[in-house]
Amino acid sequence: MRLCCLTLFILGALSSQAQVPGFLGKRFTVFLDANPSPAIFAQSTSNKLMVDLEGETHAATTNQFAFNTRPQVTVEYQFFKRHSIGLSYNRLSFGTTRGYYRSEPVEGQEYSYEYDSDVVRGDAFGVHLKFYYSTTVAPIGYYQTLSVYYSRVNTFDDKKSSTRQFRDDFKYPTVTMQLGRQSMPLKNLLVRAGFEMGWTFVPSNFLTENNGDWSAQEFSGYKVHQGLMGYYFFNLTLGVGYVLF
Amino acid sequence: MRCILTVALVALCCTPAFLQDFNHYKTVQSQGPVPKDFTDRSAAKYAQELTNLSRDKEETRREHRGRKKFYLESTFNLDEFLGSGNVLFNDEISVYTNSVLQEVLKPYPAIQSKLRVYTVKSPVTNAFTTNNGIIFINLGLLARLENEAQLAFVLGHEATHYEKKHVINSYVNNVVIEQSRDYRKLSSSDKEFAKSSYSRELETEADLGAIDIYTKSAYSKDSVGSIFDVLRNGDHPIFWTRFDKRTLESGRYIFPDTLVATSVKSTYPQEDDDDALSTHPDVRKRKRVVARKFRDGGPGDLYRVSKTGFEKVRKMARFELCRLYLLEHLYFDALALATSLQEQDPTSVFLKETVAKALYGLAKAKLAEDEYQRQENWASTEAYLAEFFNRQTAYETSVTAMRELNKCLEAEPDNKEISLMLNDLIRSLAAEQEDLEESFVRTASEKDVPELEYPYTQYAFLDFKDSNKFFDRFDKQIAIVRKEIAEDKKISRKKKKVKVKEKPLEVNKVVVVNPIYKKIDVRKKQRVRHIEAEEVLLDIDEKIGVAAGKLDLSSEVINPNNLTSGSIRTMQSNSILNDWIDEQMRSEKLQVSSIYNEITALADSYKTDHFVWMGGVTVTRKRRGKVWLVLASAAVPPAAPLLIPLVFTPKGRNLYFSLVFNVRTQALEVLDVRGMSVRDNANILQSNIYYTLLKLKKTKVKV
């Protein structure tokens, strides 16, 4: 049924005579974005950090060229002359550090845990509103985007592992704001570049508490929170798009 | 050759298009196949010039570069001028001037075959030539000439400029002066002096060359010196009669004597003969040189081609000047010239309308308190005319104008342009004067209106053929104004937004006129990128067609860059539209165009009232702070993909503009100006065109 509706919609859009905004009346655009972000707040899947802000890398190492990416597919529909609405799907992946005990801690005794590098993987669905600046001829020119993502991640031992290490997925919303510029070097082909800043609504324990008070499990969980927040906190936008119809 | 030209002239004069009826004068227009000067691509012309460009042994590198630059600039600027709509070809005036050129250059067949004359719709007393053999002669000059011999001398002068390559030599000389080491140290007047002294030398040389050409011609040597008087008086109005206020009076409508000046300046002040900063030598010096040469006179004729031809062409030029003066809002000049011409053609409807339109324009300007409309610099007999209208108040001039407009309307009841002007003037005056409807005696038996500031004006509308018809119109227009004022007051009293009923414009067709595109690259020595811009303009018709097609609009493009020999309609339309838009840009307040009938006839022929003027300017410049971009990329490597491309790409900035006019209502329907900080490309231009047309399609107007 859904496929049928979509087909009818596409055929209708293709056959209609456009008297609407967009590039020559074409309002439907598909984008593929890389969204590279410097691995400052979240280590990369190769377990690299660009700079070690906390002074203790645990299982990670530092590398100036370390970065994460967030591949994203976006569909956008321009509903006014300078406004678009869009849906996006992201694949998330970044590194994290897991704490584990060599031996089970005994109550009342001091205990310590070891660190191991893990990979956080998951996906996110997003919805966004896009505002083109007044000097643009949308979809060409400068724009600003406000997005809300719903992310669902879990940790895995390595990039290829399929065994979830937490019983329940981490599910958190994120809001982001993106500023960028779209240009059209070839007919219907769009290229965009810009940057995006975001805030993920995760528990803020890792900001207010000392990790010496945490158990290995708490450490592992809070590290995922920290990574998820850092992953969205700042990233660049690099993408290509195509104006469909 | 002469024979062929004479036959051609006779044949063309017999063509219906050339049958000029001075009673109902129609503006002169280009005819026949479009000459190659107009149709050839500028880039191709430039390439041709470059292939002919050889470097002389004595020429310095700077001079050679100057010549190259000259060819580029002159080719493209000349073509822009040819496409502006101001240049006429194959019309009766150009055909005649060409035949005079052929006549005077008979002993010089080599130059004769290379030169051609086009007429320029300009009131300025001037003629000029180009490096590729085009002589432009302004209507302003033709209208002032006394005989064909004078025209022959002017053309001989211009032919010498061509033969001696003065245009390019002057340009190269200026380039060399500007690039010389000491140039920057000179004061601005010294810079002018350095350039103008060479220009004066060339003018003197052209005068001497013209004397040689003229001497060998069969023209009379007696009266040629007087051409310099024509040039000297070039800024004065063309007026050869006496202003008589009685021509505007009738019945009891008699102007008070206080409006008539008793004395005026008898002559214009003599200009200083110091020509140090002028591009031309002082006229008196030039006249002396010519007079010395032709001291003893000599055999020859004042007219070699045709006396009647000359007189007709001069008359046409003068009638055209009436139109041009109105378009340029030079109402005093229009009044002076039309009044003089009425001496010869007292029944000419065109001249009566010119007077009425000039008075309408003058009245509107006075009502708008436009101080520039006072004419205080005139002397001699024309000063009486100027002083009369200077002394009239806005109210008095408006009443006079309404009288003249209504008289024209009585003679030609279907004249839409005059009807609109009359309505507009009544409304404008009613908005200024609350008791306007009570300020006039309506029938001969009616009592006088007491306590009027200008009592004579009350009789203004008594002696029409049908005064009732006039007063019906008068009352109707006043009622419209009163209603509008009452509604405005109501709205401002309520201080809240009133919902205005609107409907879409329902545009089905647009005509894009003379699109403009300029490309500037400040990184390059030759900053104005003519060739690239021309390529864009050649493709623009297709882009407009695509955008209009998407919006279900039909479109036509009047693009002087895409002409063929059969594009005569395009050139004719371009000429009228160019006149019309120039006038619109000159008008601060909405007033009925003096060529309203011409433009609406054009709109009818194109089957649309919506005409678009659009253009774009793109500037490419060097990106600054590249070092910082590299450093930032090194400091934050993931940002490199974003920053490094910027190091290698220049900065771009574009400005696009579009004006969509409804030529029938004269309303500016869409004004679209967009500045974009991106490098221009075909898609951005395409998108801008689309958005302009979309805006037009979505525009709503009050019901």
Side-chain angles (χ1 to χ4, degrees), chain A residues 17-25 38 50 64-65 78 81 135-138 142 181 184 186-187 193-194 236-238, chain B residues 549-552 634-639 641-642 674-678 681 683-684 686-688 690-691 694 697-698:
Chain A
Q17 186 70 30
Q19 294 192 11
V20 288
F23 178 70
L24 288 174
M50 200 174 163
Q64 237 196 326
F65 295 94
Q78 194 181 328
K81 196 178 162 192
T135 53
T136 58
V137 281
Y142 288 90
R181 195 183 83 178
M184 191 179 273
L186 297 171
K187 197 177 177 188
L236 304 167
T237 306
L238 281 174
Chain B
K550 291 275 176 192
L551 291 163
D552 215 7
V636 190
L642 214 67
R674 199 176 296 113
M676 293 178 79
S677 296
V678 288
N681 65 26
N683 298 312
I684 297 176
Q686 174 75 83
S687 209
N688 270 290
Y690 178 81
Y691 268 91
L694 177 70
K697 198 86 183 170
K698 300 283 174 191

Side-chain angles (χ1 to χ4, degrees), chain B residues 203-443:
Chain B
E203 288 300 328
T204 309
E205 195 178 17
D207 280 346
L208 295 173
I211 289 168
D212 288 343
I213 291 171
Y214 195 82
T215 310
K216 288 184 185 172
S217 77
Y219 282 105
S220 160
K221 313 298 179 285
D222 292 333
S223 71
V224 71
S226 57
I227 180 64
F228 293 105
D229 293 328
V230 170
L231 296 178
R232 193 171 55 184
N233 298 330
D235 296 335
H236 302 168
I238 306 176
F239 190 72
W240 60 82
T241 181
R242 287 194 71 83
F243 172 68
D244 187 351
K245 72 183 177 72
R246 283 175 299 180
T247 54
L248 300 169
E249 293 174 342
S250 65
R252 292 159 75 187
Y253 183 71
I254 310 288
F255 295 109
D257 291 337
T258 50
L259 290 176
V260 183
T262 48
S263 65
V264 291
K265 279 183 280 182
S266 57
T267 53
Y268 287 91
Q270 288 292 310
E271 282 173 20
D272 187 6
D273 63 355
D274 179 16
D275 53 13
L277 295 177
S278 171
T279 54
H280 286 60
D282 177 60
V283 167
R284 276 167 291 181
K285 288 179 190 169
R286 297 172 74 184
K287 193 177 174 181
R288 273 199 297 272
V289 172
V290 175
R292 216 175 294 140
K293 191 78 185 172
F294 296 124
R295 196 181 300 145
D296 304 325
D301 305 320
L302 280 178
Y303 301 94
R304 293 286 302 163
V305 176
S306 160
K307 186 181 178 187
T308 50
F310 172 80
E311 281 169 355
K312 187 177 180 191
V313 159
R314 185 177 62 179
K315 194 171 176 179
M316 283 171 74
R318 286 174 174 174
F319 273 63
E320 272 306 309
L321 271 198
C322 288
R323 181 179 176 274
L324 288 176
Y325 283 145
L326 289 175
L327 285 169
E328 296 201 4
H329 294 185
L330 298 169
Y331 301 122
F332 282 96
D333 293 82
L335 275 171
L337 180 55
T339 308
S340 298
L341 287 169
Q342 276 180 322
E343 230 182 30
Q344 295 159 354
D345 287 278
T347 56
S348 169
V349 173
F350 175 84
L351 293 176
K352 281 178 186 167
E353 285 178 0
T354 300
V355 170
K357 287 178 194 176
L359 287 171
Y360 162 76
L362 200 57
K364 287 284 283 184
K366 282 188 175 188
L367 288 169
E369 293 172 358
D370 187 349
E371 280 300 312
Y372 294 104
Q373 279 301 329
R374 287 183 70 79
Q375 184 52 270
E376 285 165 346
N377 302 326
W378 285 6
S380 186
T381 48
E382 56 264 34
Y384 287 102
L385 179 143
E387 194 54 28
F388 179 83
F389 290 107
N390 281 343
R391 288 182 184 194
Q392 271 198 330
T393 60
Y395 178 81
E396 288 172 287
T397 307
S398 301
V399 172
T400 313
M402 283 194 281
R403 264 173 61 85
E404 296 307 308
L405 287 167
N406 198 59
K407 278 194 233 168
C408 292
L409 206 56
E410 283 187 333
E412 304 254 319
D414 296 330
N415 193 327
K416 187 81 182 157
E417 170 180 275
I418 298 291
S419 172
L420 287 173
M421 282 179 179
L422 181 56
N423 291 350
D424 181 42
L425 197 53
I426 295 169
R427 285 206 292 266
S428 301
L429 200 57
E432 296 281 319
Q433 186 138 341
E434 282 183 5
D435 57 348
L436 185 68
E437 54 270 58
E438 292 154 16
S439 304
F440 299 97
V441 173
R442 295 183 176 225
T443 56

Side-chain angles (χ1 to χ4, degrees), chain B residues 557-576:
Chain B
V557 186
I558 295 174
N559 187 355
N561 298 286
N562 271 341
L563 293 175
T564 61
S565 63
S567 308
I568 188 65
R569 185 190 179 220
T570 304
M571 289 306 282
Q572 289 174 342
S573 308
N574 187 39
S575 178
I576 293 174

Side-chain angles (χ1 to χ4, degrees), chain A residues 24, chain B residues 509-516 536-559 562 612-615 658 682 685-694:
Chain A
L24 288 174
Chain B
K509 185 181 177 184
V510 287
V511 178
V512 179
V513 188
N514 205 348
I516 301 165
V536 173
L537 284 170
L538 291 173
D539 289 341
I540 209 161
D541 294 15
E542 192 191 330
K543 286 189 169 57
I544 292 164
V546 168
K550 291 275 176 192
L551 291 163
D552 215 7
L553 276 169
S554 72
S555 66
E556 270 189 71
V557 186
I558 295 174
N559 187 355
N562 271 341
V612 186
W613 279 263
M614 62 166 61
S658 300
L685 182 62
Q686 174 75 83
S687 209
N688 270 290
I689 294 168
Y690 178 81
Y691 268 91
T692 295
L693 299 181
L694 177 70

